[in-house]
Amino acid sequence: AGGGASFFGLEAQGRRFAYIVDRSASMNADTPSGRTRMELTQRELDRSIDALLESAEFFVVFYSDRATPLGSRRMWTDATERKKLWARRELYRVYPDGGTRPITGFDQVFALRPPPDAIYFMTDGRFLHNVPEEITRMNDREMIPIHCIMFGDFANSGDRNEVERMMRKIASDSGGSFARVRGNQP
């Protein structure tokens, strides 16, 4: 009984929560709140992990051109107060750089044993068109709900519509949910 988690307003139930979080160069973009997308994401991730019950476990992987697990830790982390403090220190050491290639993050999450009860997937940019199908293929045995967060506004409405369509497909195919966050949080 791990309770639940919340990330950018999307609720999930379970004991083990995986976060696949964009750290591409575009996360340096400013938001209407005056903070960068990365700063807001770090604060929200910190809040989400801090709210987990101590009986829960979490795994965080940041991706850009490649995926990097939080603190190089490639296993579940207990949500004890000590580990939450560790996560807080580590997550504020992550800086945006590179492109938007989320599959490497999904590779790491789907390799976890036991598997997650829920996955949060956050992006602020375009990724390859085959990514939704690849994620669905990777998830076909476990059918883990993937809660998708599309962060920020896009200069090109065609890009925005395409990314939203792909994120909604990933969420729908897995039984997860979708949210679009504009970055107005203080």
Side-chain angles (χ1 to χ4, degrees):
S6 173
F7 188 52
F8 283 115
L10 297 181
E11 303 286 332
Q13 296 300 309
R15 180 172 179 269
R16 288 178 302 279
F17 303 97
Y19 300 82
I20 302 171
V21 181
D22 192 342
R23 68 166 203 95
S24 63
S26 58
M27 291 292 288
N28 270 323
D30 287 327
T31 66
S33 72
R35 299 184 188 276
T36 67
R37 292 175 182 175
M38 191 68 186
E39 289 169 332
L40 290 178
T41 299
Q42 288 165 319
R43 288 176 65 146
E44 178 61 13
L45 187 53
D46 185 5
R47 186 213 54 78
S48 180
I49 291 170
D50 191 56
L52 294 174
L53 296 177
E54 286 207 5
S55 57
E57 295 176 298
F58 63 93
F59 177 79
V60 179
V61 60
F62 287 94
Y63 70 89
S64 59
D65 293 321
R66 61 184 173 80
T68 307
L70 186 66
S72 299
R73 188 175 176 87
R74 295 183 181 273
M75 64 187 81
W76 291 110
T77 301
D78 297 329
T80 62
E81 288 306 312
R82 188 169 69 80
K83 294 296 186 172
K84 289 175 183 179
L85 288 171
W86 166 84
R88 178 173 295 129
R89 282 191 308 270
E90 292 296 322
L91 84 95
Y92 289 104
R93 294 179 178 163
V94 176
Y95 296 97
D97 184 37
T100 308
R101 294 185 177 88
I103 288 298
T104 57
F106 279 94
D107 285 336
Q108 290 186 27
V109 166
F110 284 119
L112 291 169
R113 291 294 170 254
D117 295 317
I119 298 170
Y120 288 107
F121 169 40
M122 179 272 191
T123 191
D124 82 331
R126 290 189 74 203
F127 45 82
L128 296 174
H129 294 284
N130 67 333
V131 167
E133 290 75 23
E134 182 69 12
I135 292 169
T136 298
R137 184 193 60 73
M138 296 168 87
N139 196 19
D140 69 348
R141 186 180 330 132
E142 307 290 347
M143 280 311 294
I144 300 161
I146 303 171
H147 304 285
C148 298
I149 299 105
M150 185 173 127
F151 195 108
D153 290 316
F154 290 64
N156 179 318
S157 63
D159 287 348
R160 181 190 65 236
N161 293 340
E162 181 65 13
V163 172
E164 183 169 339
R165 183 193 65 74
M166 290 191 290
M167 293 293 277
R168 286 184 181 277
K169 178 173 179 27
I170 293 165
S172 174
D173 287 355
S174 68
S177 52
F178 169 83
R180 187 162 163 228
V181 177
R182 288 185 167 70
N184 296 323
Q185 296 89 340

